[in-house]
Amino acid sequence: MKLGLIPLDERPANTRYPAMIAAIGGASLALPPPAILSARRRPADCAALADWLAHTAPTLDGLVVSCEMLGYGGLIASRTSREPAGAILARLDLLRAIRRGHPRLPIFGFSLIARVSNADDAAEEPEYWATFGARLYRLSQLLDRRRQGQPVDGELDALAAEIPQEHRQDFLRRRLRNHAVNLGALQLLADGALDLLVLSSDDTSPYGLPSREKRWLSEWADLLGFNAERRTLNDEKVDVPRSAFSVQRLLMYPGADEVGCALLARLLNQAHGLAPSFAASYAPPEAAENVAAYEDGPICVTVERQVRAVGGRMAEADADIWLAVDAPLARRAEWSPEHAGQERAARLPALEALAAEIDTRLARGQPVVVADVAYPNGADPALVELLLARGDLTELAAYGGWNTAGNTIGTALAQACAARLIRTAGQRAAQERFLLHRLVEDWGYQQVARAELREWLRAEHGLAEPTPELLPEACALIERRLDALIERLPGFAGRWRLAPGSVCLPWGRTFEVDFELEHV
């Protein structure tokens, strides 16, 4: 198989991960040349992307397209550019032409309901976000709460007075444009240009303009007949129904960076006539109802949504794949030394039971996925300690512990789906490589080395992030630390290492890392 992907942006999660998963599934992945993709705040060359797609489509067996990349020129461009909705929608019309020319080509699209970042940080937002970001987030929350009948007028008026009118208007115009583009994506689905559409929410919460826009889009989906099955989530605090869609052509759920991987796995499953079944266990069991950071529903619903995205289904017993979930803490925040001891002690019995069940399932020959989502943005040290003590980690079908719970679960399920298709030694090698990549990045870097790197930057240079001059030294420090941590991974130690000089920080910041792995 040859599959094509127009990625959300150029970061490894959206390019490297899908390519590695395709290799596990025995497929090749065609990606646009890096030179024409976005580069952080520089938009992609949209005309060159369109040319590449038009020339590549005839060679493909399946296509996944990010509306942000094809339409705006990338994720950050969708938040920062000033192009009108008409220009973006005109670029997306290429998908109609591809459908006319290749009526049998499966085409899956995904488009994001734009986030409202809760931070005074303009790294990925318009410049005024550096001063007014947190207040704009609060404004978004209050506007939606007022719409839902809550008495917040006084608080809303006071807050609005703190934000210059030109920034408020620009913020709202950008949201209007994003909503128009999402309606255009829904129109592509209705017109048959897309076989499937994912309208995902990039960092979401129960209140806010993104949640309101999601309700509007859901109403149109109802009218168009796309919401064939709906599950309403009970939420005592918010008297507004939210839906996790189980439909063949439209999916709506929180997500972003994992969607490309999930839809790639869906194409693989579809091509092989598979609809894998999944069962999940949660540690502790009652935490299945906890809501993860950046999400709007219980973690058990997140699992169901991501299972649907890869083309699978939930099962109570005799499932094809079993998912071990280190469930989100109610605190909904990153791992912190301040809370680590107390949280570890409270959860250790449940984690030990989960680890024992992992052993039992593996012994039966059942594929096991470990979803390490107790904390956002990195692994749970307590769970990893138990995994390190239990033998050969290469037996796992997948592991994930990065960014949001949806990011983790979607990527891990995609890998597990691809792993069911392994038939050759090359596919087995690709599976082991990606499994190690996840362990090294999600635990080794995000939980261990990143904190050490940030402490070095602070103590030695008084910086929160590296300057361009410090990047070579920072990457060398990361490489040495991650190589040492590989030696702690049963089944991988003594067999793998980082390719010398391959470590980089893709956006020049410590949040994400990239590297190559090679056999020793």
Side-chain angles (χ1 to χ4, degrees):
M1 288 185 68
K2 181 180 178 182
L3 305 176
L5 172 64
I6 299 288
L8 178 63
D9 63 31
E10 78 282 5
R11 287 173 298 160
N14 297 307
T15 52
R16 179 188 292 278
Y17 297 4
M20 296 177 82
I21 289 171
I24 296 168
S28 63
L29 185 67
L31 285 160
I36 66 173
L37 290 176
S38 56
R40 200 171 185 178
R41 292 184 77 92
R42 177 183 63 75
D45 184 336
C46 291
L49 275 177
D51 288 343
W52 178 87
L53 184 54
H55 284 92
T56 304
T59 71
L60 299 176
D61 300 299
L63 173 63
V64 178
V65 176
S66 161
C67 293
E68 275 67 33
M69 180 64 79
L70 184 60
Y72 298 91
L75 176 60
I76 292 184
S78 73
R79 301 169 184 163
T80 60
S81 75
R82 294 189 174 277
E83 289 187 296
I88 288 103
L89 292 170
R91 293 176 187 135
L92 296 182
D93 269 346
L94 173 62
L95 297 174
R96 301 180 194 277
I98 291 174
R99 167 60 72 221
R100 288 193 296 270
H102 311 284
R104 296 181 182 273
L105 176 67
I107 305 175
F108 295 168
F110 63 105
S111 190
L112 270 60
I113 300 169
R115 75 178 188 178
V116 181
S117 175
N118 185 18
D120 291 339
D121 184 347
E124 302 178 36
E125 312 291 341
E127 294 299 332
Y128 55 79
W129 221 267
T131 303
F132 299 102
R135 280 174 279 189
L136 286 165
Y137 175 85
R138 182 68 177 153
L139 179 73
S140 168
Q141 299 276 303
L142 292 173
L143 286 169
D144 190 31
R145 288 175 59 188
R146 183 175 68 178
R147 180 67 174 175
Q148 296 183 38
Q150 297 186 22
V152 297
D153 285 353
E155 187 178 358
L156 180 57
D157 291 343
L159 179 63
E162 297 179 14
I163 306 170
Q165 183 178 7
E166 63 267 28
H167 297 334
R168 282 187 280 119
Q169 288 298 310
D170 184 73
F171 166 63
L172 294 171
R173 283 195 298 269
R174 290 177 188 278
R175 297 218 64 83
L176 177 60
R177 179 184 68 169
N178 175 253
H179 188 62
V181 171
N182 283 329
L183 286 170
L186 198 58
Q187 184 77 57
L188 288 169
L189 181 67
D191 292 346
L194 299 175
D195 295 288
L196 178 133
L197 173 65
V198 172
L199 288 173
S200 64
S201 310
D202 182 15
D203 295 353
T204 190
S205 64
Y207 294 110
L209 293 178
S211 296
R212 185 194 294 190
E213 292 153 19
K214 183 163 55 176
R215 293 192 293 271
W216 291 338
L217 291 163
S218 176
E219 290 174 3
W220 272 110
D222 282 334
L223 291 170
L224 292 166
F226 291 136
N227 295 353
E229 182 180 334
R230 164 176 286 186
R231 170 178 175 176
T232 300
L233 311 179
N234 295 322
D235 190 330
E236 296 178 356
K237 296 181 179 178
V238 185
D239 189 23
V240 175
R242 298 188 304 278
S243 301
F245 297 97
S246 176
V247 237
Q248 301 221 336
R249 299 194 63 211
L250 175 68
L251 300 171
M252 295 180 69
Y253 59 88
D257 290 331
E258 85 292 345
V259 177
C261 291
L263 295 187
L264 177 69
R266 190 182 183 101
L267 281 175
L268 290 171
N269 280 326
Q270 181 174 297
H272 290 272
L274 298 174
S277 59
F278 295 83
S281 296
Y282 299 85
E286 62 273 15
E289 296 299 320
N290 285 359
V291 179
Y294 312 111
E295 304 221 339
D296 64 357
I299 189 64
C300 61
V301 174
T302 298
V303 168
E304 293 173 9
R305 289 164 164 167
Q306 295 292 343
V307 164
R308 292 189 191 104
V310 299
R313 56 188 175 83
M314 297 300 299
E316 294 296 327
D318 300 323
D320 297 318
I321 300 168
W322 180 67
L323 182 60
V325 184
D326 182 5
L329 275 74
R331 188 166 60 87
R332 300 182 69 187
E334 293 185 18
W335 182 89
S336 166
E338 178 184 355
H339 303 281
Q342 180 181 3
E343 289 172 350
R344 183 184 186 279
R347 299 164 53 250
L348 190 58
L351 290 177
E352 289 175 335
L354 190 71
E357 189 172 1
I358 290 172
D359 288 345
T360 300
R361 301 271 183 169
L362 289 173
R364 294 176 187 166
Q366 186 176 27
V368 171
V369 175
V370 176
D372 186 348
V373 295
Y375 305 98
N377 300 326
D380 176 4
L383 175 64
V384 173
E385 286 175 16
L386 293 171
L387 294 177
L388 295 180
R390 304 192 90 81
D392 189 354
L393 294 178
T394 65
E395 296 177 355
L396 295 175
Y399 167 87
W402 67 290
N403 277 30
T404 70
N407 292 157
T408 283
I409 294 168
T411 305
L413 295 184
Q415 180 182 4
C417 289
R420 296 186 72 220
L421 304 174
I422 291 175
R423 302 291 184 272
T424 69
Q427 289 175 271
R428 284 191 290 275
Q431 162 72 359
E432 186 171 311
R433 182 184 298 273
F434 190 57
L435 180 58
L436 177 58
H437 203 283
R438 301 273 32 88
L439 289 161
V440 170
E441 183 171 350
D442 301 357
W443 168 64
Y445 181 73
Q446 293 197 25
Q447 174 52 236
V448 181
R450 182 166 61 188
E452 296 173 358
L453 177 64
R454 287 172 172 171
E455 175 57 25
W456 171 73
L457 287 167
R458 186 198 63 78
E460 297 294 325
H461 302 282
L463 297 171
E465 296 290 347
T467 62
E469 294 75 19
L470 285 173
L471 282 175
E473 187 175 359
C475 291
L477 289 171
I478 296 168
E479 181 180 322
R480 290 195 295 271
R481 189 66 173 112
L482 295 184
D483 271 334
L485 291 171
I486 289 175
E487 293 306 304
R488 295 186 56 195
L489 295 172
F492 297 101
R495 301 177 53 242
W496 290 89
R497 68 177 183 183
L498 270 65
S502 67
V503 171
C504 70
L505 300 175
W507 278 3
R509 63 183 187 181
T510 58
F511 188 74
E512 58 267 296
V513 72
D514 194 22
F515 52 86
E516 297 278 358
L517 292 164
E518 66 180 22
H519 285 286
V520 173

